[in-house]
Amino acid sequence: MECIFCQIVDKKIPAKIIGENHGAIAFLDIQPFSDGHTVVIPKKHVQNLSQCDSQTLHDVIDLVKQVAHDIQNSSLKPWGINYLSNEGSIAGQFVMHFHVHVIPKYGEAEGFKIGIGNKYLGDINKIYDELKKSIQK
């Protein structure tokens, strides 16, 4: 089955497109957390941020910035904005095509909420040592 986001890029299925540049496209989320909730994706299929080349990532982030600016200067007047990108199904990625959510925030109890859970935290020194070993390889 073809990726739903690729189908939006190819105009095979409709979307409320609100912005576009050479390498990315932005459209309203069909299951929004708040008014103006927008999804920004690369036009080419890339599964996640970790697999994204620098130019594609640049195109996506430039459009994320433009979308946020447009939302902030619209009549929607959000109090703030959340930016979110999940990687892998365990992290909440449902469409396996890299995307960034731009989620306007209108009140503390409204829209996207961040829940903090620290059940599996290890010693910070051990974590640091493991990461340093991995980075040095």
Side-chain angles (χ1 to χ4, degrees), residues 11 46 61 86 96 98 106 109 126 130 133 136-137:
K11 310 287 195 267
V46 178
I61 294 302
N86 301 318
M96 297 304 160
F98 170 52
Y106 300 100
K126 289 180 182 178
E130 285 300 314
K133 279 192 273 185
Q136 292 171 353
K137 289 182 182 177

Side-chain angles (χ1 to χ4, degrees), residues 9 16 25 31 37 45-46 58-59 62 69 80 102 114 120:
V9 170
K16 301 291 186 193
I25 191 167
Q31 295 180 314
H37 178 170
H45 186 85
V46 178
H58 188 281
D59 292 339
D62 276 355
H69 178 267
V102 180
I114 297 173
Y120 300 105

Side-chain angles (χ1 to χ4, degrees), residues 4-5 8 13-17 27-34 36-39 95 101:
I4 190 167
F5 286 174
I8 290 172
I13 59 174
K16 301 291 186 193
I17 297 170
F27 51 90
L28 293 178
D29 194 299
I30 61 169
Q31 295 180 314
F33 285 117
S34 64
H37 178 170
T38 301
V39 178
V95 178
H101 294 268

Side-chain angles (χ1 to χ4, degrees), residues 68-103:
H69 178 267
D70 293 345
I71 291 170
Q72 289 167 329
N73 290 296
S74 75
S75 62
L76 296 175
K77 300 289 184 221
W79 297 0
I81 293 180
N82 290 108
Y83 303 94
L84 175 68
S85 183
N86 301 318
E87 186 166 320
S89 58
I90 190 72
Q93 184 181 10
F94 298 108
V95 178
M96 297 304 160
H97 183 124
F98 170 52
H99 56 286
V100 177
H101 294 268
V102 180
I103 308 168

Side-chain angles (χ1 to χ4, degrees), residues 108-125:
E108 201 168 312
E110 298 175 8
F112 181 73
K113 297 270 301 176
I114 297 173
I116 299 173
N118 57 4
K119 184 175 180 180
Y120 300 105
L121 288 180
D123 177 70
I124 192 169
N125 294 315

